[in-house]
Amino acid sequence: MSVKKAFGIILKKIVPFRVYKLICNGAILVPSYYKTIINDAERNFDMALGDSDEKEILLMRKYGHILDKGLHRKDASPGHSGRYYHLLKQSVNHLIKTKYANDPTVLWAIKKLEAYEKLQSGNGFEPLCGQKPEHVISFNEFKDLVEARRSNRDFSDKPVLQEDMNKLIRLANWASSSCNKQPIFIHATNNPDLASKCLKCCKGGTGFSNHIPSFWAFSADVLGYVWPSEIYLPVVDTCLGVQNVMLGATTLGISGTLLSWAQKSSEEEAELRKLLNIPTHHQIVLCAVMGYANSEFEVPARKEI
């Protein structure tokens, strides 16, 4: 046990808990990675206060989502959400002059503007209604898939195909995200040598076989999270996409082992960003090693519900 930890245990016993919390949140006992998390949050917020096309398209999706909710209401009536209509129109008018002009979400937003304008004119508007999806697998089939997912650390030499990577990346973007921002980005390599270097940046990256087929870093574009109350949302939005990837990988026979990024050092972050060319406005949320299992790990027991 370290001296710092022993001191903390003794301190907790001899001082009031309120005082103990104040001391622990000071400069003496706070682990460095706690401070790193706070610094990262402030840096992300600072970046979100700037202007860029990348920020604009995230906000455009948000404005479109807000307008879209009203357009789907059976009691939709003129006069509502005028502020978001103008914000959306402003964003679209800007983005159609950029490289995002033909982005599917920009074209989607244009249709929402047209529907909103039709509602305001009273010219035969009908509330929007999507098609009901047809479920092609049963609950039990899905349950079997979820239970088949493994976090193996012993991989065969079989390479992960770029085609399969592309399939999984598309799955990630179909996950739910706050206000439809779709912020998730995946930076990955199928080069085993580069993948091994990336793995060395991750604490907890132990117990793996020598061969590391593929390394993935899951990140969120933070530019669209402009309020302090949204501090956790990039992580939530990214992890929803990660689950899609892990389940999709299982259907392809690919095993994914997730690695926390919470305790990274500034040096480890700088190195991983350099290795995978990750922009500063993409917040790294977690990482994973992906590949075909050479041997299957035993399943940990699950708690009772």
Side-chain angles (χ1 to χ4, degrees):
M1 181 184 299
S2 66
V3 174
K4 182 185 289 186
K5 186 172 183 179
F7 177 68
I9 293 173
I10 297 171
L11 192 67
K12 189 174 183 180
K13 292 180 179 180
I14 63 176
V15 302
F17 187 67
R18 183 174 295 179
V19 175
Y20 172 76
K21 283 201 303 182
L22 289 173
I23 295 174
C24 286
N25 284 293
I28 302 174
L29 299 178
V30 176
S32 60
Y33 53 83
Y34 280 14
K35 297 177 183 177
T36 300
I37 291 171
I38 295 171
N39 292 337
D40 287 349
E42 291 181 345
R43 182 197 65 192
N44 293 344
F45 185 58
D46 289 346
M47 286 191 291
L49 292 177
D51 294 319
S52 66
D53 296 342
E54 287 68 29
K55 173 182 175 179
E56 196 66 47
I57 196 166
L58 288 164
L59 294 179
M60 183 216 69
R61 294 174 191 144
K62 174 182 177 179
Y63 303 147
H65 166 73
I66 293 172
L67 213 63
D68 192 35
K69 290 190 294 183
L71 295 171
H72 276 82
R73 290 182 60 130
K74 293 182 180 179
D75 60 349
S77 60
H80 299 281
S81 303
R83 175 173 177 265
Y84 288 102
Y85 163 76
H86 290 294
L87 287 171
L88 180 60
K89 191 169 186 177
Q90 184 178 28
S91 289
V92 168
N93 287 340
H94 171 79
L95 289 167
I96 58 176
K97 301 173 185 177
T98 71
K99 64 181 180 180
Y100 295 109
N102 293 317
D103 186 277
T105 60
V106 173
L107 304 179
W108 165 83
I110 291 172
K111 291 182 179 179
K112 300 306 169 185
L113 289 172
E114 293 171 350
Y116 182 85
E117 291 164 356
K118 189 174 183 179
L119 170 62
Q120 305 314 303
S121 69
N123 187 21
F125 172 82
E126 292 289 337
L128 302 184
C129 182
Q131 293 182 344
K132 185 177 180 179
E134 295 184 6
H135 302 293
V136 295
I137 63 173
S138 68
F139 173 81
N140 285 335
E141 288 172 325
F142 179 72
K143 180 180 76 70
D144 291 343
L145 172 61
V146 171
E147 293 178 355
R149 186 201 58 80
R150 294 287 181 276
S151 297
N152 297 295
R153 294 183 176 230
D154 181 20
F155 298 100
S156 72
D157 293 338
K158 182 180 178 181
V160 177
L161 300 177
Q162 184 66 47
E163 178 183 353
D164 287 342
M165 289 182 69
N166 293 340
K167 290 178 181 178
L168 296 176
I169 291 170
R170 291 189 184 96
L171 276 185
N173 202 44
W174 274 97
S176 301
S177 61
S178 58
C179 288
N180 192 39
K181 291 192 187 82
Q182 301 175 33
I184 190 168
F185 280 83
I186 298 173
H187 302 269
T189 177
N190 280 345
N191 180 319
D193 292 334
L194 179 55
S196 294
K197 292 179 182 178
C198 292
L199 180 59
K200 292 178 181 178
C201 298
C202 299
K203 291 182 174 66
T206 58
F208 284 92
S209 56
N210 292 328
H211 181 65
I212 306 299
S214 184
F215 184 92
W216 296 40
F218 296 90
S219 67
D221 187 337
V222 300
L223 297 180
Y225 301 89
V226 297
W227 300 106
S229 58
E230 296 179 310
I231 186 172
Y232 299 114
L233 292 182
V235 174
V236 173
D237 290 343
T238 300
C239 288
L240 290 170
V242 171
Q243 183 70 349
N244 280 10
V245 170
M246 293 298 114
L247 293 177
T250 302
T251 70
L252 299 174
I254 297 173
S255 175
T257 299
L258 298 177
L259 297 163
S260 170
W261 192 242
Q263 293 181 315
K264 49 81 180 177
S265 67
S266 57
E267 293 78 15
E268 289 164 340
E269 171 145 358
E271 180 65 13
L272 186 60
R273 288 187 181 277
K274 179 181 177 182
L275 290 170
L276 294 180
N277 194 27
I278 303 174
T280 55
H281 63 281
H282 288 183
Q283 176 186 345
I284 304 170
V285 175
L286 50 79
C287 302
V289 171
M290 309 284 282
Y292 298 93
N294 196 41
S295 59
E296 294 288 331
F297 277 37
E298 290 186 356
V299 185
R302 296 304 184 197
K303 66 181 181 182
E304 290 290 342
I305 59 171

